[in-house]
Amino acid sequence: MASTATFLAKTPIRTTPFPKTLKSDPSPGSRLSFSLVAGARRPARAIRSCRIACALIEPDGGQLVDLVVPAGPAREGRRREAAALPKVRLSRVDLEWVHVLSEGWASPLRGFMRESEFLQALHFNSLRLPDGSVVNMSIPIVLAIDDTQKKAIGNQRKVALVDANNKLVAILSDIEIYKHNKEERIARTWGTTAKGLPYVKEAIQNAGNWLIGGDLEVIEPIKYNDGLDQYRLSPVELREEFLRRNADAVFAFQLRNPVHNGHALLMTDTRRRLLEMGYRNPILLLHPLGGFTKADDVPLSWRMKQHEKVLEEGVLDPETTVVAIFPSPMHYAGPTEVQWHAKSRINAGANFYIVGRDPAGMKHPKEDRDLYDADHGKKVLSMAPGLEKLNILPFKVAAYDVKKQKMDFFDPSRPQDFLFISGTKMRDLAQNRKDPPDGFMCPGGWKVLVEYYETLLETVTNGSVTHFPGVQKQGSSKQR
Amino acid sequence: MASTATFLAKTPIRTTPFPKTLKSDPSPGSRLSFSLVAGARRPARAIRSCRIACALIEPDGGQLVDLVVPAGPAREGRRREAAALPKVRLSRVDLEWVHVLSEGWASPLRGFMRESEFLQALHFNSLRLPDGSVVNMSIPIVLAIDDTQKKAIGNQRKVALVDANNKLVAILSDIEIYKHNKEERIARTWGTTAKGLPYVKEAIQNAGNWLIGGDLEVIEPIKYNDGLDQYRLSPVELREEFLRRNADAVFAFQLRNPVHNGHALLMTDTRRRLLEMGYRNPILLLHPLGGFTKADDVPLSWRMKQHEKVLEEGVLDPETTVVAIFPSPMHYAGPTEVQWHAKSRINAGANFYIVGRDPAGMKHPKEDRDLYDADHGKKVLSMAPGLEKLNILPFKVAAYDVKKQKMDFFDPSRPQDFLFISGTKMRDLAQNRKDPPDGFMCPGGWKVLVEYYETLLETVTNGSVTHFPGVQKQGSSKQR
């Protein structure tokens, strides 16, 4: 996937939407301090008086967490120390969570959850801090170990976390080991225990019966070496980019699907509304999720190619758009997960969050219905503890207007003129090399999708059943 | 069950622990205003300076809700109005919730939950009020209707709630009808969807697929006519009783089981500790749950007889104990439900809450283990949003000390001297007319239990299987 990076560099756009900021060592010395909350549910009048110099929204807990050990003697010291510690091997998803934690997306969380944090996440979707304030935290960020590992750890207070190749990744200190009640965790997180939830199959079902929490020190920044690392900007780097661009509002758009013109319309319209509210330079954070996704989602590398086309062809304005990868794995936990998607973007500097229909939703794994009510995501988000400072922008419904021959906001006075093109429909069209209606997606973006589905079709075995093994075969840890 | 009331009146105790306050019409005019929070997690020094005249803890939302329509023209007007409204028939459990809501146990909730309240209860175990403050609310208090009822209601804004005999109970106004996703409700409330949860079987499984929320006006105070109504004191009446007794601290003990001497020791010890903290007149609210319980729990009427013996025989001091019935049905939802048990007691004036091992817990309905971790209840309670003002008193473990031949706090230095007598063990003993060890329970209390199990044994059909139909046969709606 080095091709994406090369391709982007060649793109003849005015300002690359993929910030040129190179990932630097995120040592504490380079951290900014964020002391002002900008635009948090203020009345429009107050917002109008906000000057461009407004600071970005304050991260949860007041300061971004940075868990990467500074290069040099400290790092070498940790390596020596780790050699003598019991080892816990991380799965791919575990490693994604180490990445998430290390860069402060879950600030003020400083490591895998101990039981008190786990229980608060499960029951209250939030954490109470020592000063009595509350931050949102809806998804348990936990590390499972099995009986053998627990026994090997014994009474030791620290463990070394290693990757699949036994390479040292991090040290977990002041550890607490507690029961992993999978049924309860699943029920409270997903609101169902039906078999077939993608994250459960990937990361919980076969995981150990214990959870180990503690303070995390990550030896060096997490890299995937898949040609996309330069787009994995940390919250600190995103904040630097927003400040560099003189953003006085940042609106985040979480996605795990290709961008069609309905999405683009929504993002463009959001910027227009923010300008009307008195902001002078609202910046869009187009923020595709980069961690674990289910097998039938379009893989990250193809999505990144598609997003690039959307900017290259001017559907979104590169001047006011930052595209970066959000390193979290996907839970598909609907109203519970959308809070995590929003909270982590506060830490990245966003003070506006666009929420759509059925965010982080999917079909029920066993019943013929959506798992979540399509409206619950935005309702829960608007009421969630710890997200009061975030402005929630509900999605207007966009659909294909057959009269105007373009994507437009749905007009309930003439429903017959609108065509809803679902993800499934889009996939069917691309797989069968049929074109979508004009104006549904920019041609270059559509071509990327067709190419992707062609790589899948090459693996069809007998012409009647479409398998998706190609997704797994592409070799990158980010390809699902 | 009129016998219980008669019996109590005859009991020759110094001060009846069952307050003599007769239930009066709880019209708004009789409401007290509670403006001070007493003793909420204050340091001991601050507590010592608290004078006896301290007000009781403030109810959630600042004022106790009272939903009973005042007798007279207003009440008659509602009756006339209701005649023309669509009718929704209440189940026994629904009626218990109407009772709970009507007296303000769930303050500031003013009726069955609308969707925004339902979602907040499910996801956050709390409700955010218009002023931004947060109150605890962990259990959905909802009313289910089926498709036919929904159709009959149509676009009307009010419905009449009637009992099994079609007698008018209440009017629900400004209604909102929304989907009853049973699977999600069960998963998020119980942390499992395993078949066999008692409340689910009783009140959810066969309920309708819609929920109807709205503002409740209850035509007249809810009565059960089972001889126990006089012990169903409302939060207002309890507060009046605590003030009458000059309580400067109220500590609540929720229970649904017979009181043994270990419980009594704990309650006595709690009072001793509160006196040491500087309180001068701590009052115990011994508060058995009176609503729906599972079939193998001891029925309310027998528990009330047993509690009375405990006071009559001086195991608890009637001078400093108030016994009353808490009208809520039981969920058996462990850490989620214990919050409801605590929150409702704030509304009744308690500023201390005793929490035991595995509160509101039970065996997993399908697996050979407890459904909840025994420590999660007290942990969740200590962190729960909206309960910060309540002092949580964790249970010390009491067991039978075979050396001292009495119930005492477990001493980990000599575990071999302690005998743990479980509910199952206690039931086996009583059923087989065997005596428990001396000092386990006061003799009169034990005799009540033996009598209860004798009534059950009378229904054993073939000597090898014990059935519990007698529980249902006793005719009272409170007998399960």
Side-chain angles (χ1 to χ4, degrees):
Chain A
M1 270 316 303
S3 62
T4 304
T6 317
F7 187 90
L8 298 179
K10 281 191 266 176
T11 307
I13 48 179
R14 286 175 299 162
T15 301
T16 171
F18 293 75
K20 285 179 176 144
T21 328
L22 283 179
K23 299 272 284 188
S24 55
D25 178 48
S27 60
S30 70
R31 290 290 176 272
L32 306 167
S33 75
F34 307 98
S35 56
L36 280 177
V37 180
R41 290 189 191 163
R42 290 187 202 170
R45 235 183 335 199
I47 288 170
R48 280 200 189 95
S49 71
C50 173
R51 296 179 310 157
I52 285 204
C54 276
L56 297 173
I57 190 171
E58 186 178 53
D60 277 350
Q63 204 174 343
L64 274 173
V65 161
D66 168 24
L67 303 176
V68 180
V69 180
R75 189 173 288 178
E76 295 320 307
R78 293 299 186 292
R79 287 194 204 279
R80 282 191 299 273
E81 182 188 4
L85 296 176
K87 290 183 182 28
V88 170
R89 186 164 305 164
L90 301 172
S91 71
R92 181 176 47 172
V93 169
D94 294 336
L95 197 63
E96 289 169 0
W97 284 122
V98 170
H99 184 185
V100 164
L101 290 165
S102 71
E103 296 182 340
W105 297 94
S107 290
L109 204 61
R110 300 193 64 85
F112 286 105
M113 291 179 172
R114 297 189 179 91
E115 194 180 39
S116 70
E117 293 153 339
F118 177 64
L119 289 173
Q120 289 180 78
L122 284 189
H123 287 274
F124 315 132
N125 289 5
S126 58
L127 302 178
R128 192 190 296 158
L129 306 186
D131 69 359
S133 66
V134 167
V135 296
N136 191 269
M137 192 69 247
S138 60
I139 293 281
I141 302 183
V142 289
L143 180 60
I145 58 173
D146 61 22
D147 291 355
T148 314
Q149 287 172 308
K150 180 175 183 287
K151 206 173 160 192
I153 294 166
N155 290 322
Q156 294 181 80
R157 303 299 308 135
K158 289 188 180 190
V159 296
L161 309 183
V162 300
D163 70 10
N165 304 314
N166 274 326
K167 191 189 154 201
L168 178 67
V169 173
I171 291 175
L172 200 63
S173 304
D174 197 12
I175 58 170
E176 181 184 301
I177 297 177
Y178 56 102
K179 276 185 220 145
H180 186 191
N181 185 331
K182 296 178 188 182
E183 180 191 50
E184 185 173 1
R185 174 183 173 191
I186 295 165
R188 295 197 193 278
T189 304
W190 280 272
T192 178
T193 56
K195 298 272 176 269
L197 297 167
Y199 187 91
V200 173
K201 278 163 68 179
E202 175 74 19
I204 300 183
Q205 202 163 285
N206 299 316
N209 287 319
W210 302 95
L211 297 174
I212 179 169
D215 294 330
L216 194 66
E217 292 174 291
V218 182
I219 303 301
E220 55 188 45
I222 304 296
K223 299 293 171 197
Y224 300 79
N225 302 311
D226 58 355
L228 299 174
D229 279 332
Q230 63 187 301
Y231 310 121
R232 293 191 175 91
L233 300 190
S234 71
V236 166
E237 290 165 328
L238 284 170
R239 284 172 175 267
E240 285 170 351
E241 181 64 23
F242 298 139
L243 290 175
R244 196 182 68 73
R245 294 196 189 203
N246 285 323
D248 62 348
V250 176
F251 58 112
F253 190 75
Q254 142 77 31
L255 74 171
R256 62 168 214 273
N257 282 314
V259 172
H260 60 57
N261 289 351
H263 298 134
L265 171 67
L266 182 82
M267 292 184 260
T268 309
D269 189 62
T270 300
R271 183 171 150 85
R272 184 189 58 71
R273 284 158 63 200
L274 292 174
L275 289 168
E276 274 178 18
M277 286 166 78
Y279 287 103
R280 290 166 61 179
N281 191 26
I283 296 291
L284 165 64
L285 170 60
L286 184 70
H287 215 191
L289 179 135
F292 164 80
T293 51
K294 60 188 165 66
D296 62 348
D297 280 354
V298 178
L300 177 66
S301 57
W302 290 95
R303 283 185 279 132
M304 290 303 285
K305 282 187 191 179
Q306 196 270 351
H307 300 340
E308 178 51 21
K309 287 290 171 191
V310 167
L311 283 130
E312 189 185 321
E313 299 185 13
V315 179
L316 289 173
D317 178 6
E319 282 287 358
T320 57
T321 304
V322 172
V323 185
I325 295 172
F326 174 49
S328 172
M330 188 78 200
H331 268 57
Y332 304 94
T336 302
E337 185 169 27
V338 72
Q339 298 172 67
W340 160 242
H341 288 171
K343 175 245 164 64
S344 53
R345 272 51 177 246
I346 291 177
N347 284 333
N351 56 337
F352 287 88
Y353 185 85
I354 301 175
V355 58
R357 194 185 163 281
D358 199 15
M362 54 174 271
K363 284 276 168 203
H364 193 289
K366 296 289 170 200
E367 298 172 22
D368 184 25
R369 61 172 176 95
D370 288 337
L371 183 49
Y372 303 106
D373 183 297
D375 288 334
H376 281 187
K378 72 174 178 224
K379 287 179 182 170
V380 166
L381 198 55
S382 72
M383 302 185 292
L387 297 184
E388 299 83 357
K389 63 185 173 182
L390 185 67
N391 296 281
I392 310 297
L393 300 169
F395 225 93
K396 283 196 259 179
V397 178
Y400 188 76
D401 185 333
V402 290
K403 281 221 171 128
K404 292 187 187 169
Q405 299 208 335
K406 63 168 191 169
M407 294 297 283
D408 207 349
F409 292 122
F410 178 70
D411 179 352
S413 74
R414 48 186 187 90
Q416 70 284 359
D417 294 347
F418 287 86
L419 202 61
F420 286 87
I421 300 174
S422 67
T424 309
K425 173 84 177 164
M426 189 171 80
R427 192 183 305 145
D428 287 348
L429 290 169
Q431 277 174 341
N432 295 306
R433 296 194 185 195
K434 287 185 187 164
D435 285 335
D438 273 354
F440 171 72
M441 188 183 283
C442 64
W446 184 256
K447 197 158 161 279
V448 171
L449 281 194
V450 172
E451 277 171 28
Y452 164 63
Y453 284 108
E454 275 174 0
T455 66
L456 290 190
L457 286 169
E458 285 163 15
T459 67
V460 173
T461 50
N462 60 13
S464 66
V465 182
T466 304
H467 298 287
F468 290 83
V471 179
Q472 275 82 20
K473 276 189 186 166
Q474 292 174 19
S476 157
S477 67
K478 310 303 293 175
Q479 293 295 314
R480 290 191 63 186
Chain B
M1 268 317 304
S3 61
T4 302
T6 318
F7 186 89
L8 297 180
K10 281 191 265 176
T11 307
I13 47 179
R14 286 178 298 165
T15 302
T16 173
F18 294 76
K20 287 181 174 142
T21 329
L22 282 178
K23 300 272 286 189
S24 56
D25 179 48
S27 61
S30 70
R31 290 290 174 269
L32 305 167
S33 76
F34 306 96
S35 56
L36 280 179
V37 179
R41 290 192 192 162
R42 288 186 202 171
R45 234 183 337 201
I47 288 170
R48 283 200 186 93
S49 69
C50 175
R51 296 178 308 158
I52 287 204
C54 275
L56 296 173
I57 191 170
E58 186 178 52
D60 277 351
Q63 207 176 342
L64 274 173
V65 161
D66 168 23
L67 302 177
V68 179
V69 180
R75 189 174 288 178
E76 295 320 308
R78 292 299 185 293
R79 286 193 205 279
R80 282 191 299 275
E81 182 188 6
L85 296 177
K87 291 186 181 24
V88 171
R89 184 162 310 161
L90 301 173
S91 71
R92 181 176 47 172
V93 170
D94 294 336
L95 197 62
E96 288 169 0
W97 284 122
V98 169
H99 184 183
V100 164
L101 289 166
S102 72
E103 296 182 339
W105 297 94
S107 291
L109 204 62
R110 300 192 63 86
F112 286 105
M113 291 179 171
R114 297 190 178 89
E115 193 180 38
S116 70
E117 293 153 339
F118 177 63
L119 290 174
Q120 289 180 81
L122 284 190
H123 287 274
F124 314 131
N125 289 5
S126 58
L127 301 177
R128 191 188 297 157
L129 306 185
D131 69 0
S133 66
V134 167
V135 296
N136 191 268
M137 193 68 248
S138 60
I139 294 282
I141 302 182
V142 289
L143 179 61
I145 57 173
D146 62 22
D147 292 356
T148 312
Q149 287 171 308
K150 180 174 182 286
K151 204 172 161 192
I153 294 166
N155 290 321
Q156 294 181 80
R157 305 296 309 133
K158 289 188 181 191
V159 296
L161 308 183
V162 300
D163 70 10
N165 303 315
N166 272 329
K167 190 188 154 202
L168 179 66
V169 174
I171 291 176
L172 200 64
S173 304
D174 197 11
I175 57 169
E176 181 184 301
I177 297 177
Y178 55 101
K179 275 184 219 145
H180 186 192
N181 185 330
K182 297 178 188 182
E183 181 190 50
E184 186 173 0
R185 175 183 173 193
I186 294 165
R188 296 196 192 278
T189 304
W190 280 271
T192 178
T193 56
K195 298 273 178 270
L197 297 167
Y199 187 91
V200 172
K201 278 164 68 181
E202 175 74 19
I204 301 183
Q205 202 164 283
N206 299 316
N209 287 317
W210 302 95
L211 296 175
I212 180 168
D215 295 329
L216 194 67
E217 292 175 291
V218 181
I219 302 302
E220 55 188 45
I222 304 295
K223 298 292 172 200
Y224 299 79
N225 302 311
D226 58 356
L228 299 175
D229 279 332
Q230 64 186 302
Y231 309 120
R232 294 191 174 91
L233 299 190
S234 71
V236 165
E237 289 165 328
L238 284 170
R239 285 172 173 265
E240 285 170 351
E241 181 64 21
F242 298 140
L243 289 175
R244 194 181 69 74
R245 295 197 189 202
N246 284 324
D248 63 347
V250 175
F251 57 112
F253 190 76
Q254 141 77 32
L255 75 171
R256 62 167 215 273
N257 282 313
V259 172
H260 60 59
N261 289 352
H263 298 134
L265 171 67
L266 182 83
M267 291 183 262
T268 309
D269 189 63
T270 301
R271 182 170 151 86
R272 186 190 55 74
R273 285 158 64 200
L274 291 174
L275 290 168
E276 274 179 17
M277 286 166 77
Y279 287 103
R280 291 166 59 178
N281 190 27
I283 296 291
L284 164 64
L285 171 60
L286 184 70
H287 215 190
L289 179 136
F292 164 79
T293 52
K294 58 190 169 62
D296 62 349
D297 280 354
V298 178
L300 176 66
S301 57
W302 289 96
R303 284 185 277 132
M304 290 301 285
K305 283 187 191 179
Q306 196 272 348
H307 301 339
E308 177 51 19
K309 287 290 170 193
V310 167
L311 283 129
E312 188 184 323
E313 299 186 12
V315 180
L316 288 173
D317 178 6
E319 282 287 358
T320 58
T321 304
V322 172
V323 186
I325 295 173
F326 174 50
S328 172
M330 188 76 201
H331 268 57
Y332 304 92
T336 301
E337 185 169 29
V338 72
Q339 297 171 67
W340 161 242
H341 288 172
K343 174 243 164 66
S344 52
R345 272 49 177 247
I346 291 177
N347 284 333
N351 55 338
F352 287 88
Y353 185 84
I354 300 175
V355 59
R357 195 186 162 281
D358 199 17
M362 55 174 269
K363 284 276 168 202
H364 193 288
K366 295 290 170 201
E367 299 171 22
D368 183 22
R369 61 172 175 95
D370 288 338
L371 183 49
Y372 304 107
D373 184 297
D375 289 332
H376 281 186
K378 72 173 176 224
K379 286 179 183 171
V380 165
L381 198 55
S382 72
M383 302 185 292
L387 298 184
E388 299 84 358
K389 63 185 173 182
L390 186 66
N391 297 281
I392 310 297
L393 299 170
F395 226 92
K396 284 196 261 180
V397 178
Y400 188 73
D401 186 333
V402 290
K403 283 220 171 129
K404 293 188 188 168
Q405 298 206 338
K406 63 168 192 167
M407 294 299 282
D408 206 349
F409 293 123
F410 178 70
D411 178 353
S413 73
R414 46 182 189 95
Q416 70 284 359
D417 294 347
F418 287 87
L419 202 62
F420 286 88
I421 300 174
S422 66
T424 310
K425 174 83 178 164
M426 187 169 81
R427 192 183 305 144
D428 286 349
L429 290 170
Q431 277 175 343
N432 296 306
R433 296 195 185 194
K434 288 187 186 162
D435 284 334
D438 273 354
F440 171 73
M441 188 182 284
C442 63
W446 184 256
K447 196 159 163 277
V448 171
L449 281 194
V450 171
E451 278 171 27
Y452 163 61
Y453 283 108
E454 275 175 359
T455 67
L456 289 190
L457 286 168
E458 286 164 13
T459 67
V460 173
T461 49
N462 59 16
S464 66
V465 183
T466 304
H467 298 287
F468 290 83
V471 181
Q472 275 82 24
K473 277 187 185 163
Q474 293 175 16
S476 157
S477 66
K478 310 303 293 177
Q479 293 296 314
R480 290 192 59 187

